[in-house]
Structure formats: structure tokens, C-alpha cells
Amino acid sequence: MELDTARDFLANVVKEFPFPENEYEAGYLRKHMQRYRDSCDLIAANCPSEGRLLSIGCEPGHIEILLKEFFGFRQITGLSYRASEEFKLRMTRFDIPMLECHVENAPIPNEDGSFHSIVFLEVLEHMFTGVPHALSEMHRVLRPGGTMVLSTPNLAQFRNRIKLLKGGSINWPLDGAKDFFGKPVHLRHNREYTNKEICFLLHGAGFEIDKVRFGEYSPERPRLMRIFNSLYPTFNSNIFVVARRM
């Protein structure tokens, strides 16, 4: 997938199908295209394009639309706890049906083993205490042998280690533009995880870990960061995990 082509395509989607609560969307799109491409490549390499795929917490739908338009996935279903009519209209345009479910405390409205693949991208960090329940539900609706692809920010990333060395906090800010208590759940991080913690949670839900990868997507990457990240991949900003239901 060529980045500029994909970026222009999504920019047109955002323009044609806006939804009011996502005023940050255009900037988010510019910032995260490299991660989008890496996520799509990982999904395409591990999930069957002809199978049924469930995307948990899929708003704003960028990666799901890319998978349909550039990677040949045809049976994608999205799940969100708060899908607006405007967002549903966007997803309908690309033939992506939407489920509404608060997956932290409610069952996913599908039968056992309904999906060949699940993607769970940049959602875990927004969740509260219902993570074990959510992962258990994902395990239930995934077919035996099916694949989950997960991504989330890395709590142990280089930038966080430097913040701690300087006596700063690595938690979401309590004031300023990112005011933790003033942000809705989808615009703040409630808890980030290390790769070992993620593997612990997945094992607890019945998944087997296939592979763990790391990627660096910080907008600024000073030389010291690049050196440490090359020597210690666990210092990178984001974690990718491929897991399977056995």
C-alpha cells in the first residue's frame, strides 16, 4: 500500500463522511499513516482476506476501510460502544456493518466461533476494568485456530523512561489540552501496558501468542532514541501482538 495514495483516499473519506465528534480526525490521519500501513500489512500477513473479520473499537474506521479497498478483505464487521449515525453512514458506504456493544461488560452479539479473525487496534489503552471480560468475549466469538491482531502503545517506550528519569509522570496529563478528566474515554488513555502484561492478559483469556513486534511512531525521534530503539526493540512506542485461539 502506497502511503500517499492511501492518505489521499482516506482524506477524501473524511471530507465526504464527516462526523462532528471527530474534529481531531484530519490531524490524527496525518500523524498515524505509517502505523496504519504496518497494521494492515500485519493483518494481511496473518488473517485470511476471504474470512470474516471483526474489528473491536473500530471508530474512526480508517484501517477497516483500507483493508477493504487496498487489501481485498470483504467480510469486515465493526464493533463500537457508541457508533453515531454519521459514523454508521461512513461504514455503510464501504459495506461494513456495525455492531453496538460495550464490550467491557456485555457479550458480543454473535455466536461462538463466528469470526476467522479479530483486530483490536489502539483500543486496549482506553479501557477500564473490563479488559478480562472483553478478551474472553473475543476468544469466544473467534473460531478455533483463528487469529487476533492487537496493537497498543508501549508503556515501556523510550519516551516514558526518559520522563521517569526526569521525575515526570508517564500517565495521561491531568491539565492542559489533554486534561484527563475532561476528555471522553476514546480521547484519553486510561492504562498502558508492557508487552509482558499484554501476553499475560491474552494467555489468561485462552490465547496462544504467535508473535510480538514493536514499532516506533513518535513524531520526533532524536538520535539517542534511535540508538536505544535499534538496540532494544522493547523501547519502541507501540506493541503489536499476533495471537491465536487454540
Side-chain angles (χ1 to χ4, degrees), residues 74-244:
R74 290 291 171 259
Q75 299 185 74
I76 299 177
T77 299
L79 183 148
S80 174
Y81 80 101
R82 51 159 223 136
S84 66
E85 291 305 313
E86 293 90 347
F87 180 57
K88 290 177 184 177
L89 181 63
R90 175 186 294 185
M91 302 305 269
T92 298
R93 160 65 179 80
F94 294 96
D95 192 26
I96 300 175
M98 288 297 304
L99 304 174
E100 290 194 58
C101 169
H102 200 315
V103 73
E104 288 195 67
N105 53 39
I108 295 173
N110 290 92
E111 298 294 328
D112 296 2
S114 295
F115 296 95
H116 298 82
S117 308
I118 290 177
V119 296
F120 186 39
L121 308 175
E122 307 300 307
V123 177
L124 178 62
E125 66 274 14
H126 297 279
M127 299 177 79
F128 291 97
T129 58
V131 172
H133 171 82
L135 292 175
S136 177
E137 277 296 293
M138 294 178 216
H139 184 272
R140 179 183 66 79
V141 300
L142 191 62
R143 292 186 177 189
T147 302
M148 172 196 277
V149 177
L150 177 155
S151 74
T152 190
N154 179 15
L155 179 65
Q157 64 181 279
F158 179 86
R159 289 190 304 168
N160 284 348
R161 295 170 187 263
I162 295 301
K163 287 177 183 178
L164 288 173
L165 285 173
K166 292 181 176 180
S169 172
I170 60 175
N171 293 316
W172 201 256
L174 297 177
D175 58 2
K178 289 189 172 183
D179 173 17
F180 179 84
F181 294 109
K183 292 288 186 184
V185 62
H186 65 289
L187 293 180
R188 73 184 189 201
H189 294 183
N190 289 298
R191 190 197 196 284
E192 295 181 358
Y193 298 83
T194 66
N195 66 303
K196 289 184 178 180
E197 289 175 323
I198 294 168
C199 292
F200 172 82
L201 290 170
L202 290 172
H203 279 306
F207 289 95
E208 291 292 329
I209 308 303
D210 186 2
K211 55 179 72 86
V212 178
R213 299 285 185 269
F214 299 88
E216 181 56 61
Y217 305 102
S218 301
E220 297 180 1
R221 306 177 195 182
R223 184 170 180 270
L224 185 61
M225 174 191 283
R226 295 197 304 272
I227 292 171
F228 271 95
N229 286 358
S230 65
L231 294 173
Y232 306 103
T234 57
F235 279 35
N236 281 274
S237 65
N238 288 69
I239 302 167
F240 297 88
V241 179
V242 177
R244 303 194 188 277

